[in-house]
Amino acid sequence: MRAPGTDHDTGTDPGGEGSGTDAGTDSGSEETSGFEETKAPPPGKSRASRVTWQKLTFLPAVLTVVLLTTWLWFQQAELDPLSENALSGGQVWKALRQSIELTVISTFFVLIIAIPLGILLTRGAFRKATPAAMALANMGQATPAIGLLALLVIWLGIGRKAALIGIIAYAVLPVLSNTIAGLKANDPTLVEAARGIGMSSVGVLTRVELPLAVPLILAGVRTALVLNVGTSTLATFGGGGGLGVLITTGITNQRMPVLVLGSILTVALALLVDWLASLAEILLSPRGLEAGT
């Protein structure tokens, strides 16, 4: 015998069930919509936003205006025979080419010396040698560049070799110190996690530690490049050539046009190298370290 009101107590409301389903569907849609709105930006978007058209064009445009103005000034300037002799026969292009060669060659040797040495000094027992290596690198930069070059000329004789060694010794410190600082600044938990998943020591170094240290290493390379451009002008005192030839000729012979041209070309080369290094610093930094990604 059925109890009174059973139908009412045990009955279900089809409409109510459907309403609950609809509410769940709406809630799920809202969550999905919210997830789509907070989706990470495409890879490389943050990096592209940092390389703006102003950064790409402003400095080259300024350098172009400065060099064009200098050229127009020389077109109407009255040069005496001594100044014409110092600037004719491709002497300017030869000095500029020699400065670029000195900068490129010295930077190459700085990189192959300082970066591997910085890595070695952060490994195991070699860490004890870090203070001695840093003291030696500090001595190379603390010594006046012209004095260091003079000592090298006495030891090695006049020529490009002495000039290159002096430039390299002067620029090792920023790359070495930044390499060590970048590797030491890595989060130890990330290194331990990489070891925990079975990566070898070389794998941890090349796939975890070095990529994280790249921004600091590139900053040191950028500093070394600008130092090398400036120091290369002193190579003329050791027979290494470069734009310093024009500067010293203008000073010793009191020929202002020659001095102005050598100085402007040196400054323009340093600014151009720094601009190229700043672009490389942005483009070569790992994507995962970009802010906002």
Side-chain angles (χ1 to χ4, degrees):
M1 185 174 182
R2 185 180 300 175
T6 302
D7 292 340
H8 176 73
D9 295 337
T10 59
T12 58
D13 186 358
E17 184 180 352
S19 176
T21 305
D22 293 341
T25 304
D26 292 342
S27 176
S29 299
E30 290 176 359
E31 291 176 0
T32 305
S33 175
F35 175 77
E36 291 175 352
E37 289 176 358
T38 58
K39 190 166 55 176
K45 183 177 179 181
S46 175
R47 182 178 305 177
S49 64
R50 292 179 62 187
V51 186
T52 60
W53 67 269
Q54 292 95 335
K55 188 174 185 64
L56 289 173
T57 59
F58 178 73
L59 184 60
V62 170
L63 292 180
T64 301
V65 171
V66 170
L67 294 176
L68 182 60
T69 303
T70 305
W71 180 78
L72 292 174
W73 178 64
F74 268 90
Q75 291 300 308
Q76 55 85 32
E78 295 182 2
L79 303 177
D80 59 7
L82 188 58
S83 297
E84 290 181 353
N85 183 55
L87 301 176
S88 63
Q91 295 296 320
V92 176
W93 294 111
K94 179 182 178 182
L96 180 60
R97 188 187 73 250
Q98 288 175 340
S99 284
I100 295 174
E101 289 176 353
L102 287 169
T103 301
V104 172
I105 295 173
S106 60
T107 303
F108 171 76
F109 280 103
V110 165
L111 295 182
I112 65 174
I113 292 172
I115 294 179
L117 181 60
I119 294 172
L120 186 64
L121 292 175
T122 58
R123 307 294 104 180
F126 292 101
R127 293 177 182 173
K128 297 179 180 179
T130 300
M134 292 299 296
L136 189 61
N138 273 306
M139 288 175 56
Q141 195 171 66
T143 305
I146 188 67
L148 178 61
L149 182 60
L151 292 175
L152 290 170
V153 168
I154 294 173
W155 178 34
L156 300 172
I158 294 176
R160 178 171 287 193
K161 182 187 294 185
L164 280 173
I165 293 177
I167 297 171
I168 292 168
Y170 203 68
V172 163
L173 179 61
V175 181
L176 177 62
S177 61
N178 278 33
T179 301
I180 295 174
L183 290 173
K184 285 185 175 180
N186 289 336
D187 189 349
T189 58
L190 296 177
V191 177
E192 291 301 323
R195 290 171 180 164
I197 62 175
M199 293 180 66
S200 63
S201 298
V202 176
V204 173
L205 175 65
T206 57
R207 300 182 64 181
V208 179
E209 294 185 84
L210 280 178
L212 291 174
V214 160
L216 268 178
I217 295 174
L218 290 177
V221 173
R222 181 178 177 180
T223 303
L225 276 168
V226 178
L227 281 174
N228 287 348
V229 173
T231 313
S232 66
T233 58
L234 300 176
T236 182
F237 296 106
L243 290 170
V245 174
L246 300 179
I247 296 175
T248 54
T249 300
I251 293 175
T252 55
N253 297 311
Q254 297 183 353
R255 294 300 186 270
M256 189 59 63
V258 182
L259 174 60
V260 168
L261 181 60
S263 302
I264 289 178
L265 288 178
T266 302
V267 172
L269 180 59
L271 291 175
L272 182 61
V273 165
D274 182 67
W275 175 73
L276 292 173
S278 68
L279 293 181
E281 194 174 353
I282 293 173
L283 297 175
L284 296 179
S285 295
R287 276 194 316 231
L289 300 182
E290 297 289 337
T293 56

